[in-house]
Amino acid sequence: MELVNKSLRELHTLIKRKELKPSELVEAVLKRIEETESKLNAYITVTDEKARRKAKIADEELTKLSEDEIPELFGIPLSIKDNINVENVRMTCASKILENFVSPYDATVIKRLREKGAIFVGKNNLDEFAMGSSTETSYFGPTKNPWDLERVPGGSSGGSAAAVSARSALASLGSDTGGSIRQPAAFCGVVGLKPTYGRVSRYGLTAFASSLDQIGPITKTVEDAAYLLNVISGQDSKDATSAKIPVPNFLEALNGEVKGLKAGLPKEYFVEGVDPEVKENVLKVAELLEKNGVSVEEVSLPNTKYAVETYYIIAPAEASSNLGRYDGVRYTYRAENYRDLIDMYCKTRAEGFGDEVKRRIMIGTYTLSAGYYDAYYLKAQKVRTLIYQGFQNAFEKVDFLITPVTPETAFKIGEKTDDPIKMYLSDIFTIAVNLAGLPGISVPCGFDSKGLPVGVQFIGRAFDEETILKVADFVEKELKLNTVPEL
Ligand code: GLN
């Protein structure tokens, strides 16, 4: 356990000094996966053989390199959400339709991690095509929350968050369309960062809702999140929406200098329906910051109440278009018996997609269809602009916002599966951030009386990940929570 508890920076130092071999580290992570997987189901694919082979090569290379030639992720094993392409590794998106699909290429984030020497140990479980908030819509079965195996780890990046929490991954990459990095991070007591839209290339991330999707780190600490963000950020010619904006060294932002910052508490995020214990823990963070020289004032984001509805028009609309490509001709799954081409399309999709994905495709097709487009999709886009403007107004007064990540802590497996609306509401505090394209980070800030982790969310201005990382790191170091579950 000792090795897997260390930070990426510490591991890098040990490897650099040649006090630790990549193969030892890979073995430590694989051992942990072996110990925990039967309980958690956090991985869909474990690439143990590949990882061992790469580690051996890295061991040899290490003997030939001098300290300053060793890149920051050299020999460090990572896990990846199974909707991000890793060359020659199966990528299922937790679906039946892609059950046997093998990625022909690396996503840009993977290429960047590889260039810095990272090794990949496996692909993490998720909700099918990242649609969900509990990892229960996975074709490969639900992931369990390491804090309570009867509860969900959140979703859709539930496998990544559970693995990092249980230390069966040193760190992972997830994707966040409406909360899928931050919400599972909060449920599992780990750190989850959704970068600004455009900060990280989406090339090689399986598209769910292209105007909302963003890849980001799920890690044990804020420092680890900054460490990975440094590597994966930056413009990419393969993603036209990736921004041509300089990438700072995010680690330098973690200097504890929070004094003088201005924080906003959006009153719409502390309304009835939020678990009092969640509220209490989050407000304690605001107090802590205030004691340390941060000014805290109430702000208003009046259109927050429309965020979930707006999202559930825009995201399914984009999904219905993006998922049109799974037609039985391209990719892998095809129905066995069919009369003609149309019948083949229909049967393949009927058999290959799960209920939640079908629900989204149907809603999206409906809201985009002639006669309904103006009433739903166009209207939703207008409300989206209003939500964005609400944040802009708030950021004229304050530097960042403090909110809960979720209205409640991890819920029981099966508790919301029969009621999609209930499930959708668990993202009520994360979704607006995606609609506005802003950065948001989820950091553990306490436990409720059931012993389940509570997360606090910091939301920043576009391309100002530095402020929220700085604040998150400060809070993490002040609170000194023991966030390792006993499994
Ligand atoms: N839970 C939300 C949904 O079901 C968000 C998912 C995500 O961020 N990928 O769409």
Side-chain angles (χ1 to χ4, degrees):
M1 267 306 259
E2 207 200 319
L3 265 185
V4 288
N5 268 326
K6 289 194 188 308
S7 75
L8 297 178
R9 210 206 300 239
E10 285 171 326
L11 292 169
H12 172 57
T13 307
L14 288 176
I15 290 177
K16 215 163 63 169
R17 293 199 191 130
K18 308 192 180 173
E19 287 164 20
L20 173 67
K21 280 192 201 166
S23 59
E24 288 170 72
L25 187 54
V26 165
E27 287 310 325
V29 173
L30 290 175
K31 180 165 165 256
R32 193 65 197 144
I33 295 177
E34 225 179 271
E35 285 167 0
T36 54
E37 261 312 272
S38 61
K39 291 183 193 152
L40 296 180
N41 195 29
Y43 283 84
I44 292 176
T45 305
V46 178
T47 49
D48 47 351
E49 271 180 35
K50 267 197 168 99
R52 286 197 169 105
R53 224 179 312 126
K54 296 258 178 202
K56 232 190 186 145
I57 297 170
D59 283 356
E60 268 169 42
E61 243 180 287
L62 187 63
T63 59
K64 296 178 204 133
L65 294 172
S66 68
E67 253 195 44
D68 48 350
E69 283 173 328
I70 298 169
E72 60 258 49
L73 288 169
F74 188 88
I76 296 187
L78 301 173
S79 74
I80 304 292
K81 185 177 182 179
D82 202 22
N83 61 350
I84 299 174
N85 283 279
V86 178
E87 193 179 351
N88 293 330
V89 174
R90 177 169 83 132
M91 183 187 64
T92 67
C93 291
S95 70
K96 178 175 178 185
I97 212 158
L98 291 181
E99 187 178 359
N100 298 309
F101 174 73
V102 176
S103 298
Y105 70 103
D106 274 338
T108 296
V109 289
I110 300 300
K111 191 167 154 263
R112 290 184 175 166
L113 294 171
R114 241 193 246 286
E115 278 165 7
K116 298 291 181 196
I119 293 172
F120 301 102
V121 286
K123 306 295 294 291
N124 291 119
N125 202 2
L126 66 151
D127 282 293
E128 185 181 348
F129 285 99
M131 296 174 190
S133 309
S134 64
T135 319
E136 290 169 291
T137 71
S138 169
Y139 176 63
F140 298 88
T143 297
K144 315 279 170 61
N145 189 317
W147 290 93
D148 178 345
L149 297 173
E150 285 176 10
R151 291 178 187 269
V152 303
S156 62
S157 313
S160 295
V164 173
S165 165
R167 308 302 192 241
S168 64
L170 296 173
S172 182
L173 289 188
S175 69
D176 191 312
T177 305
S180 278
I181 287 176
R182 292 159 289 157
Q183 186 255 21
F187 278 11
C188 292
V190 295
V191 174
L193 171 69
K194 184 203 92 75
T196 310
Y197 186 78
R199 178 61 97 186
V200 176
S201 168
R202 290 182 294 111
Y203 179 74
L205 165 67
T206 308
F208 163 9
S210 313
S211 77
L212 301 159
D213 299 340
Q214 192 62 191
I215 296 172
I218 296 184
T219 53
K220 298 187 290 247
T221 61
V222 177
E223 184 196 271
D224 279 359
Y227 200 88
L228 287 183
L229 191 64
N230 273 349
V231 178
I232 63 173
S233 294
Q235 208 235 343
D236 174 20
S237 58
K238 292 193 171 109
D239 172 6
T241 62
S242 72
K244 210 173 180 171
I245 286 187
V247 179
N249 181 348
F250 294 106
L251 285 168
E252 281 171 12
L254 315 183
N255 55 15
E257 291 168 14
V258 295
K259 201 171 163 198
L261 285 175
K262 292 187 200 136
L265 283 175
K267 62 171 191 237
E268 293 79 4
Y269 284 66
F270 295 90
V271 288
E272 223 180 288
V274 183
D275 180 335
E277 291 188 275
V278 168
K279 203 160 143 181
E280 190 190 314
N281 277 290
V282 172
L283 289 176
K284 267 198 204 139
V285 171
E287 266 172 45
L288 169 73
L289 287 168
E290 206 163 19
K291 264 196 224 135
N292 285 279
V294 176
S295 68
V296 181
E297 63 177 289
E298 190 180 275
V299 293
S300 174
L301 297 167
N303 294 309
T304 300
K305 55 180 175 292
Y306 303 121
V308 172
E309 289 89 331
T310 306
Y311 173 89
Y312 278 99
I313 292 174
I314 292 174
E318 294 184 17
S320 71
S321 164
N322 277 327
L323 271 64
R325 69 189 61 160
Y326 308 108
D327 56 5
V329 178
R330 292 163 285 188
Y331 308 97
T332 53
Y333 183 76
R334 179 183 292 180
E336 270 180 19
N337 305 307
Y338 47 86
R339 284 189 313 275
D340 52 25
L341 183 65
I342 300 291
D343 195 40
M344 189 279 284
Y345 287 156
C346 294
K347 286 207 172 117
T348 296
R349 289 166 67 82
E351 292 167 18
F353 287 133
D355 289 348
E356 185 58 31
V357 173
K358 283 180 193 157
R359 187 177 295 125
R360 309 274 178 123
I361 293 173
M362 275 153 49
I363 297 172
T365 309
Y366 178 79
T367 58
L368 288 178
S369 57
Y372 295 102
Y373 179 91
D374 289 357
Y376 295 109
Y377 187 72
L378 204 63
K379 190 67 135 307
Q381 289 290 21
K382 288 179 183 166
V383 179
R384 181 178 189 173
T385 303
L386 292 176
I387 289 171
Y388 170 77
Q389 281 166 352
F391 279 111
Q392 291 297 98
N393 293 342
F395 285 128
E396 275 173 23
K397 287 192 271 179
V398 299
D399 301 309
F400 69 98
L401 302 169
I402 307 171
T403 79
V405 185
T406 54
E408 54 179 7
T409 51
F411 47 88
K412 288 240 165 88
I413 292 175
E415 195 179 317
K416 296 185 202 263
T417 36
D418 296 334
D419 188 346
I421 306 281
K422 251 192 181 168
M423 189 71 89
Y424 297 170
L425 285 172
S426 62
D427 294 321
I428 194 158
F429 298 142
T430 48
I431 267 178
V433 172
N434 299 73
L435 290 168
L438 303 173
I441 190 167
S442 164
V443 198
C445 69
F447 293 89
D448 70 1
S449 45
K450 295 187 216 85
L452 299 170
V454 179
V456 57
Q457 172 174 238
F458 301 116
I459 304 170
R461 295 189 177 100
F463 296 103
D464 184 20
E465 285 85 0
E466 286 166 287
T467 299
I468 56 171
L469 282 165
K470 182 204 299 278
V471 173
D473 172 65
F474 178 83
V475 168
E476 178 186 74
K477 285 179 179 149
E478 284 287 315
L479 294 179
K480 293 193 191 73
L481 298 172
N482 175 13
T483 49
V484 188
E486 262 176 49
L487 252 184

